[in-house]
Coordinates of all heavy atoms in Angstrom, one line a residue:
M1298 N -29.9 18.2 1.4 CA -29.2 17.0 1.9 C -28.0 16.7 1.1 O -27.0 16.2 1.7 CB -30.2 15.9 1.8 CG -31.2 15.8 3.0 SD -30.5 15.9 4.6 CE -30.6 14.2 5.1
A1299 N -28.0 16.9 -0.2 CA -26.8 16.6 -1.0 C -25.7 17.5 -0.6 O -24.5 17.0 -0.6 CB -27.2 16.8 -2.5
Q1300 N -25.9 18.7 -0.2 CA -24.8 19.6 0.2 C -24.2 19.1 1.5 O -23.0 19.1 1.6 CB -25.4 21.0 0.4 CG -25.9 21.7 -0.8 CD -24.7 22.3 -1.5 OE1 -23.6 22.5 -1.0 NE2 -24.9 22.6 -2.8
I1301 N -25.0 18.6 2.4 CA -24.5 18.1 3.7 C -23.7 16.9 3.4 O -22.6 16.7 4.0 CB -25.7 17.8 4.6 CG1 -26.4 19.1 5.0 CG2 -25.2 17.1 5.9 CD1 -27.6 18.9 5.8
D1302 N -24.1 16.0 2.5 CA -23.4 14.8 2.2 C -22.0 15.1 1.6 O -21.0 14.5 1.9 CB -24.1 13.9 1.2 CG -25.4 13.3 1.8 OD1 -25.4 13.2 3.1 OD2 -26.3 12.9 1.1
K1303 N -22.0 16.1 0.7 CA -20.7 16.6 0.1 C -19.7 17.1 1.2 O -18.5 16.8 1.2 CB -20.9 17.6 -0.9 CG -21.5 17.1 -2.2 CD -21.7 18.2 -3.2 CE -22.4 17.7 -4.5 NZ -22.7 18.8 -5.4
V1304 N -20.3 17.9 2.1 CA -19.4 18.5 3.2 C -18.9 17.4 4.1 O -17.7 17.3 4.5 CB -20.3 19.5 4.0 CG1 -19.5 19.9 5.3 CG2 -20.6 20.7 3.1
L1305 N -19.8 16.4 4.4 CA -19.3 15.3 5.3 C -18.3 14.5 4.6 O -17.3 14.0 5.2 CB -20.5 14.4 5.7 CG -21.5 15.0 6.7 CD1 -22.7 14.1 6.9 CD2 -20.8 15.3 8.0
E1306 N -18.4 14.2 3.3 CA -17.4 13.5 2.6 C -16.1 14.2 2.5 O -15.0 13.6 2.7 CB -17.9 13.2 1.1 CG -17.1 12.2 0.4 CD -17.1 10.9 1.0 OE1 -18.1 10.4 1.5 OE2 -16.0 10.2 1.0
K1307 N -16.1 15.5 2.4 CA -14.9 16.3 2.4 C -14.2 16.2 3.8 O -13.0 16.1 3.9 CB -15.1 17.8 2.0 CG -15.2 18.0 0.6 CD -13.9 17.8 -0.1 CE -14.0 18.2 -1.5 NZ -12.7 18.0 -2.2
L1308 N -15.0 16.3 4.8 CA -14.5 16.2 6.2 C -13.8 14.9 6.4 O -12.8 14.8 7.1 CB -15.6 16.5 7.2 CG -16.1 17.9 7.3 CD1 -17.3 18.0 8.3 CD2 -14.9 18.8 7.8
K1309 N -14.4 13.8 5.9 CA -13.9 12.5 6.1 C -12.5 12.4 5.4 O -11.5 11.9 5.9 CB -14.8 11.4 5.5 CG -16.0 11.1 6.3 CD -16.9 10.1 5.7 CE -18.2 9.9 6.4 NZ -19.0 8.9 5.7
E1310 N -12.4 13.0 4.1 CA -11.2 13.0 3.4 C -10.1 13.7 4.2 O -9.0 13.2 4.3 CB -11.4 13.6 2.0 CG -12.1 12.8 1.0 CD -12.3 13.5 -0.3 OE1 -11.4 14.3 -0.7 OE2 -13.3 13.3 -1.0
W1311 N -10.4 14.9 4.7 CA -9.5 15.7 5.4 C -9.0 15.0 6.7 O -7.8 15.0 7.0 CB -10.0 17.0 5.8 CG -10.2 18.0 4.6 CD1 -9.6 17.9 3.4 CD2 -11.0 19.2 4.6 NE1 -10.0 18.9 2.6 CE2 -10.8 19.7 3.3 CE3 -11.8 19.8 5.5 CZ2 -11.5 20.9 2.9 CZ3 -12.4 21.0 5.1 CH2 -12.3 21.5 3.9
A1312 N -10.0 14.3 7.4 CA -9.6 13.6 8.6 C -8.7 12.4 8.2 O -7.7 12.2 9.0 CB -10.9 13.0 9.3
R1313 N -8.9 11.7 7.1 CA -8.0 10.7 6.7 C -6.6 11.2 6.4 O -5.6 10.6 6.8 CB -8.6 10.0 5.5 CG -9.2 8.6 5.8 CD -9.6 7.9 4.5 NE -11.1 7.8 4.5 CZ -11.9 8.3 3.6 NH1 -11.4 8.9 2.6 NH2 -13.2 8.2 3.7
K1314 N -6.6 12.3 5.7 CA -5.2 12.9 5.4 C -4.5 13.3 6.7 O -3.3 13.1 6.8 CB -5.4 14.1 4.5 CG -5.8 13.7 3.1 CD -6.0 14.9 2.2 CE -6.4 14.6 0.8 NZ -6.6 15.7 0.0
I1315 N -5.2 13.9 7.6 CA -4.6 14.3 8.9 C -4.0 13.1 9.7 O -2.9 13.0 10.1 CB -5.5 15.1 9.8 CG1 -5.8 16.5 9.1 CG2 -5.0 15.3 11.2 CD1 -6.9 17.3 9.7
V1316 N -4.9 12.0 9.7 CA -4.5 10.8 10.4 C -3.3 10.2 9.7 O -2.3 9.7 10.4 CB -5.6 9.8 10.6 CG1 -5.2 8.5 11.0 CG2 -6.7 10.4 11.5
D1317 N -3.3 10.1 8.4 CA -2.2 9.6 7.6 C -0.9 10.4 7.9 O 0.2 9.8 8.0 CB -2.5 9.5 6.1 CG -3.4 8.4 5.8 OD1 -3.7 7.5 6.6 OD2 -3.9 8.4 4.6
A1318 N -1.0 11.7 8.0 CA 0.1 12.5 8.2 C 0.7 12.3 9.6 O 1.9 12.3 9.8 CB -0.2 14.0 8.0
L1319 N -0.1 12.1 10.6 CA 0.3 12.0 11.9 C 0.8 10.6 12.3 O 1.8 10.4 12.9 CB -0.8 12.4 12.9 CG -1.2 13.9 12.9 CD1 -2.4 14.1 13.8 CD2 0.0 14.7 13.3
L1320 N 0.0 9.6 11.8 CA 0.3 8.2 12.2 C 0.9 7.4 11.1 O 1.3 6.2 11.3 CB -1.0 7.5 12.7 CG -1.7 8.2 13.8 CD1 -3.0 7.4 14.1 CD2 -0.8 8.3 15.0
G1321 N 1.0 7.9 9.9 CA 1.5 7.2 8.7 C 0.3 6.5 8.0 O -0.8 6.3 8.6
P1322 N 0.5 6.1 6.8 CA -0.6 5.4 6.1 C -1.0 4.1 6.6 O -0.2 3.5 7.4 CB 0.0 5.3 4.6 CG 1.4 5.3 4.8 CD 1.7 6.2 6.0
E1323 N -2.1 3.6 6.3 CA -2.5 2.3 6.7 C -1.5 1.2 6.2 O -1.0 1.3 5.1 CB -3.9 1.9 6.1 CG -5.0 2.7 6.7 CD -6.4 2.3 6.2 OE1 -6.5 1.2 5.7 OE2 -7.3 3.1 6.3
P1324 N -1.2 0.2 7.1 CA -0.3 -0.8 6.6 C -0.8 -1.5 5.4 O -1.9 -2.0 5.4 CB -0.1 -1.7 7.9 CG -1.3 -1.4 8.7 CD -1.7 0.0 8.4
Q1325 N 0.1 -1.7 4.5 CA -0.3 -2.5 3.3 C 0.3 -3.9 3.4 O 1.4 -4.0 3.9 CB 0.3 -1.8 2.0 CG -0.1 -0.4 1.8 CD -1.6 -0.4 1.3 OE1 -2.1 -1.3 0.7 NE2 -2.3 0.7 1.7
P1326 N -0.4 -4.9 2.9 CA 0.2 -6.2 3.0 C 1.4 -6.3 2.1 O 1.5 -5.7 1.0 CB -0.9 -7.1 2.5 CG -1.9 -6.2 1.7 CD -1.7 -4.8 2.3
E1327 N 2.4 -7.0 2.6 CA 3.7 -7.1 1.9 C 3.4 -8.0 0.7 O 2.8 -9.0 0.8 CB 4.8 -7.7 2.7 CG 5.2 -6.7 3.8 CD 6.5 -7.2 4.5 OE1 7.2 -8.0 3.9 OE2 6.7 -6.7 5.6
P1328 N 4.0 -7.6 -0.5 CA 3.8 -8.4 -1.7 C 4.5 -9.8 -1.5 O 5.5 -9.9 -0.9 CB 4.4 -7.6 -2.8 CG 5.3 -6.7 -2.1 CD 4.8 -6.4 -0.8
E1329 N 3.9 -10.8 -2.1 CA 4.5 -12.2 -2.0 C 5.7 -12.2 -2.9 O 5.6 -11.8 -4.0 CB 3.4 -13.2 -2.4 CG 3.8 -14.6 -2.0 CD 2.6 -15.5 -2.2 OE1 1.5 -15.2 -1.8 OE2 2.9 -16.6 -2.8
L1330 N 6.8 -12.7 -2.4 CA 8.0 -12.8 -3.1 C 7.9 -14.0 -4.2 O 7.3 -15.0 -3.9 CB 9.2 -13.1 -2.2 CG 9.5 -12.0 -1.2 CD1 10.7 -12.5 -0.3 CD2 9.9 -10.7 -1.9
I1331 N 8.5 -13.7 -5.3 CA 8.4 -14.7 -6.4 C 9.8 -15.4 -6.4 O 10.8 -14.7 -6.6 CB 8.1 -14.0 -7.8 CG1 6.8 -13.3 -7.7 CG2 8.2 -15.1 -8.9 CD1 6.5 -12.5 -8.9
P1332 N 9.8 -16.7 -6.3 CA 11.1 -17.4 -6.3 C 11.7 -17.3 -7.7 O 11.1 -17.5 -8.8 CB 10.8 -18.9 -6.0 CG 9.3 -19.0 -6.2 CD 8.7 -17.6 -6.1
I1333 N 13.0 -17.1 -7.8 CA 13.8 -17.0 -9.0 C 14.7 -18.2 -9.1 O 15.5 -18.4 -8.2 CB 14.6 -15.7 -9.1 CG1 13.6 -14.5 -9.0 CG2 15.4 -15.6 -10.4 CD1 14.3 -13.2 -8.9
P1334 N 14.6 -19.0 -10.2 CA 15.5 -20.2 -10.3 C 16.9 -19.7 -10.5 O 17.2 -18.8 -11.3 CB 14.9 -20.9 -11.5 CG 14.0 -20.0 -12.2 CD 13.6 -18.9 -11.3
V1335 N 17.9 -20.4 -9.9 CA 19.3 -20.1 -10.0 C 20.0 -21.3 -10.5 O 19.8 -22.4 -10.0 CB 19.8 -19.6 -8.7 CG1 21.3 -19.3 -8.8 CG2 19.1 -18.4 -8.2
R1336 N 20.9 -21.1 -11.5 CA 21.6 -22.3 -12.0 C 22.7 -22.7 -11.0 O 23.3 -21.8 -10.4 CB 22.3 -21.9 -13.3 CG 21.4 -21.9 -14.5 CD 22.1 -21.8 -15.7 NE 21.3 -22.1 -16.9 CZ 21.7 -22.2 -18.1 NH1 23.0 -21.9 -18.4 NH2 20.9 -22.5 -19.0
D1337 N 22.9 -23.9 -10.9 CA 23.9 -24.5 -10.0 C 25.2 -24.6 -10.8 O 25.4 -25.4 -11.6 CB 23.5 -25.8 -9.4 CG 24.4 -26.3 -8.3 OD1 25.3 -25.6 -7.9 OD2 24.2 -27.5 -8.0
N1338 N 26.2 -23.7 -10.5 CA 27.5 -23.6 -11.2 C 28.5 -24.6 -10.6 O 29.7 -24.5 -11.1 CB 28.0 -22.2 -11.2 CG 27.1 -21.3 -12.1 OD1 26.5 -21.7 -13.0 ND2 27.1 -20.0 -11.7
Q1339 N 28.2 -25.4 -9.7 CA 29.2 -26.4 -9.2 C 29.6 -27.5 -10.1 O 30.6 -28.1 -10.0 CB 28.7 -27.0 -7.9 CG 28.5 -26.0 -6.7 CD 28.0 -26.6 -5.5 OE1 27.7 -27.8 -5.5 NE2 27.9 -25.8 -4.4
R1340 N 28.8 -27.7 -11.2 CA 29.1 -28.7 -12.1 C 30.2 -28.4 -13.0 O 30.8 -29.2 -13.7 CB 27.8 -29.0 -13.0 CG 26.7 -29.5 -12.2 CD 25.5 -29.8 -13.1 NE 24.3 -30.2 -12.3 CZ 23.1 -30.2 -12.8 NH1 22.9 -29.9 -14.0 NH2 22.1 -30.5 -12.0
R1341 N 30.6 -27.1 -13.1 CA 31.7 -26.7 -14.0 C 33.0 -27.2 -13.6 O 33.9 -27.4 -14.4 CB 31.8 -25.2 -14.1 CG 30.6 -24.5 -14.8 CD 30.9 -23.1 -15.0 NE 29.8 -22.4 -15.7 CZ 29.8 -21.1 -15.9 NH1 30.7 -20.3 -15.4 NH2 28.8 -20.6 -16.6
R1342 N 33.2 -27.4 -12.3 CA 34.5 -27.8 -11.7 C 35.0 -29.1 -12.2 O 34.9 -30.0 -12.6 CB 34.5 -27.7 -10.2 CG 34.3 -26.3 -9.7 CD 34.4 -26.3 -8.2 NE 34.1 -25.0 -7.8 CZ 34.1 -24.6 -6.5 NH1 34.4 -25.5 -5.6 NH2 33.9 -23.4 -6.2

């Protein structure tokens, strides 16, 4: 049984690689942007 489980796991990996190659990888959530404080230079004038 352990041999069959190993073979099935390998087949799943190969299937995932084939699907990724054909359709692209699974969409990843976009990272949340971090606001960067900016100095207001209008006071110099």
Side-chain angles (χ1 to χ4, degrees):
M1298 280 307 256
Q1300 292 280 339
I1301 294 173
D1302 290 338
K1303 288 180 183 178
V1304 171
L1305 288 175
E1306 192 60 39
K1307 280 292 184 185
L1308 287 173
K1309 286 180 188 178
E1310 286 179 32
W1311 289 344
R1313 256 186 246 120
K1314 287 180 183 180
I1315 291 171
V1316 169
D1317 285 349
L1319 295 175
L1320 304 177
E1323 290 184 20
Q1325 300 290 328
E1327 291 190 22
E1329 194 170 315
L1330 298 177
I1331 301 172
I1333 301 173
V1335 178
R1336 285 190 165 186
D1337 188 10
N1338 291 333
Q1339 292 180 357
R1340 294 182 188 165
R1341 288 186 181 177
R1342 293 182 183 183

